[in-house]
Structures are given as C-alpha cells and as structure tokens.
Amino acid sequence: MHYTDVKGILSPQNGMNLYRGCTHGCIYCDSRSKCYQFTNDFEDIEVKKNAPELLEKALRSRRKKCMIGTGAMCDPYMHCEETLGLTRHCLEIIERYGFGVAIQTKSDRILRDLALLKRIHEKAKCVVQMTLTTYDDDLCRILEPNVCTTNRRVEVLETFRDHGIPTVVWLSPILPFINDTGENIERILDCCIQAKVRGIICFGMGMTLREGSREYYYAALDRHFPGMKGKYHRKYGYGYELASDRNGELMELFYEKCKKNQILCDVEECFRYLREFPERYEQLSFF
C-alpha cells in the first residue's frame, strides 16, 4: 500500500475512485489490463489520501445536486478500508452536502456504513450495487477468492431491501465454459427477485480480455481448470470479446424473468436510474 496526492477526484460524470488497484483477487478483473498503466503491482493499493479534501471542495462549490458514483474501477470496500476509512469519510461529506450516491462493491464491509447510507437516502438518494457471477459458493471462492461469497452478498442485498435502500446487481462477467449455464443464471435471477433488486445490468453472456488481464486469467485457468486455457485459445484466440455459445438462450431467460418481475434490465435504463437525482431534492436545494 502506498499513498499519493491527486489533482482531482471527480470525473466529468461525477464518478470517483478513492483507491487504485485491488486485493479481492478476482481472476477475470479487467482493471489489471495494461491499458490502465499501473506502475506498481496491482495488489499494492494506491491510496488517494487527499480525496476527502478534494471532494468537499468540489461539492461545496456546486449549487446543483447530483449522484456521486464510486466503485467502477476499484472496490471502495477493499481490505484496507477497514483501517483507513477513506470511503466512509467521503460518504460523510456526501451526506453533509446533501448529494446522492451510487456505490458499487462485492464486499459485505458496506454494511458497516448502513446507517450512514440510510441517512444519505433519506436526504437524497442512495443506490447500492453488487456484482453476482455464480450462485455456487465453491466456484465463487475460485473466481473471487478474497471477497465474501455470493450467498453473503445476497444477504447484503436483502439487508438493504429491508432498510428501504434500492439495489442494482451487475450480472457480469459470465465466463464461457465455466458459469454460462441456465442453472447458474436462473439461480442468480431468483436471488435478485427474492432481494427485490431495482435493476440488473448485463452486457451479454460472456466476458472481455485484453493484455494484462488475459495473462492473469489464463494462469488462473491453468491452476483451477486444467485444459481450459487451450479450449479458450481454440475458440477465441486473442479476441477482446468472448461471447458464450449460450448467449442467445441465456439472454432470453434473463429478459423473460426480469420483465416478469418488473426488474429493470435495459442497460441504459439502469444507468439512467443510477444517475437520476430526485427532482424534489433538487427543488429543495435550490431554495
């Protein structure tokens, strides 16, 4: 872990990444790709120590409230958050200035901030996003070894449901020949229905690989799924988009179950929901 001061913290789309790198160890992680130009080991977390000051300065100067997003490039509830509390500090600033938050994680550490997220939702809007890839916890421990299991994440979704905070699930990635089965997708969707999620973001049944993340993924395949790397090479070569052979049937199942249970399933609709700041709070902040 190392510390740095950065020049800015909010992107033009009002997203922020408080850390750089990750310790969850997910074998498919795109953030390992060389295009992101990491100069340290991926697990050597870069801590943006002046992020709270930059965030407060940015929010203090804004008259128009909006949603602040976090978790797109690195999980805000990695192991180091337990001692550093950088995410919590920034959430306190968001709550103080009456902004909303859309926060994405795979970790049950988010429950530590449940009361704070409830206060944000009471003042503005809070949406919690969780990634689900496989209902099988044994497989989950291989794919996502250093983070809580799928069943635990579903419990987290249910906790937020019980406290009136909306949730969105990322159904991604779906790894060809590994978790691209009808049983897996149906079981995950049943969990989402049970947890009453507001939406599910799915870009299709498959995954992406590029230089950096591809090598890490293939090494993991050699460790856990002997012979699977050769199958990938024969099917996809060095392609970027690796669509499952079952994409058509699985997407049909996905849309059918979502629409039947009134779950947002169009990607753009889900993103629009995450970005929308409630109009009533915009009016109140104006006055």
Side-chain angles (χ1 to χ4, degrees):
M1 187 165 60
H2 61 285
Y3 297 82
T4 187
D5 285 322
V6 292
K7 294 181 179 179
I9 195 59
L10 286 181
S11 73
Q13 293 76 37
N14 298 309
M16 63 179 183
N17 287 293
L18 307 175
Y19 301 106
R20 199 159 186 260
C22 191
T23 52
H24 287 341
C26 302
I27 69 171
Y28 51 73
C29 182
D30 177 72
S31 294
R32 292 181 179 274
S33 302
K34 284 192 175 179
C35 63
Y36 298 116
Q37 300 179 331
F38 278 86
T39 54
N40 299 83
D41 290 340
F42 191 67
E43 288 78 12
D44 179 9
I45 304 302
E46 179 180 288
V47 181
K48 300 177 183 179
K49 63 179 182 178
N50 63 331
E53 291 81 8
L54 292 175
L55 179 63
E56 182 156 21
K57 181 179 178 182
L59 299 190
R60 188 193 302 123
S61 64
R62 293 192 181 189
R63 293 190 63 192
K64 187 176 176 64
K65 300 292 193 291
C66 66
M67 298 292 289
I68 306 297
T70 189
M73 283 296 295
C74 69
D75 198 304
Y77 287 101
M78 291 182 294
H79 303 79
C80 59
E81 173 64 17
E82 290 185 4
T83 54
L84 297 178
L86 196 60
T87 297
R88 181 174 181 83
H89 192 174
C90 288
L91 289 175
E92 289 171 340
I93 294 167
I94 290 170
E95 189 258 340
R96 187 184 314 140
Y97 286 92
F99 283 72
V101 67
I103 190 165
Q104 183 180 350
T105 185
K106 290 178 185 158
S107 176
D108 57 355
R109 292 184 187 90
I110 193 172
L111 291 177
R112 176 203 64 182
D113 294 334
L114 174 59
L116 176 55
L117 293 170
K118 282 184 69 175
R119 292 199 300 273
I120 291 174
H121 194 58
E122 288 166 0
K123 287 185 175 182
K125 176 182 173 183
C126 172
V127 185
V128 170
Q129 304 161 76
M130 298 288 287
T131 298
L132 303 180
T133 58
T134 173
Y135 79 93
D136 183 337
D137 278 354
D138 291 332
L139 180 57
C140 181
R141 291 185 182 97
I142 294 173
L143 304 185
E144 302 151 348
N146 303 325
V147 68
C148 65
T149 63
T150 298
N151 279 324
R152 177 57 177 157
R153 289 178 225 170
V154 173
E155 290 176 356
V156 172
L157 290 169
E158 292 173 341
T159 298
F160 282 106
R161 173 203 64 196
D162 294 343
H163 286 271
I165 295 176
T167 57
V168 168
V169 161
W170 289 68
L171 181 57
S172 174
I174 302 300
L175 312 178
F177 314 121
I178 295 176
N179 63 344
D180 59 340
T181 67
E183 180 186 14
N184 182 50
I185 301 305
E186 188 149 22
R187 291 284 293 272
I188 291 175
L189 292 174
D190 286 343
C191 289
C192 293
I193 293 165
Q194 176 183 318
K196 292 182 167 46
V197 304
R198 184 74 176 85
I200 303 175
I201 295 171
C202 179
F203 298 99
M205 301 297 166
M207 66 182 303
T208 59
L209 285 177
R210 44 187 161 188
E211 188 179 5
S213 60
R214 181 184 295 111
E215 291 78 5
Y216 190 86
Y217 181 65
Y218 281 168
L221 292 185
D222 281 340
R223 289 195 306 274
H224 301 290
F225 307 96
M228 184 67 76
K229 181 172 72 173
K231 198 170 183 179
Y232 269 73
H233 274 307
R234 290 189 294 273
K235 171 73 176 175
Y236 302 107
Y238 286 89
Y240 170 61
E241 295 184 355
L242 285 61
S244 166
D245 288 339
R246 300 188 175 100
N247 179 67
E249 63 185 90
L250 295 179
M251 288 304 292
E252 185 176 343
L253 171 64
F254 169 70
Y255 287 127
E256 178 184 340
K257 295 205 77 165
C258 285
K259 290 175 181 177
K260 182 178 178 181
N261 292 277
Q262 298 181 312
I263 297 173
L264 292 177
C265 56
D266 178 83
V267 171
E268 285 306 313
E269 283 187 14
C270 289
F271 284 148
R272 188 159 48 246
Y273 174 70
L274 293 173
R275 291 191 301 263
E276 284 176 345
F277 189 83
E279 184 179 346
R280 65 185 183 277
Y281 294 113
E282 287 182 351
Q283 292 171 344
L284 285 172
S285 65
F286 179 80
F287 291 107

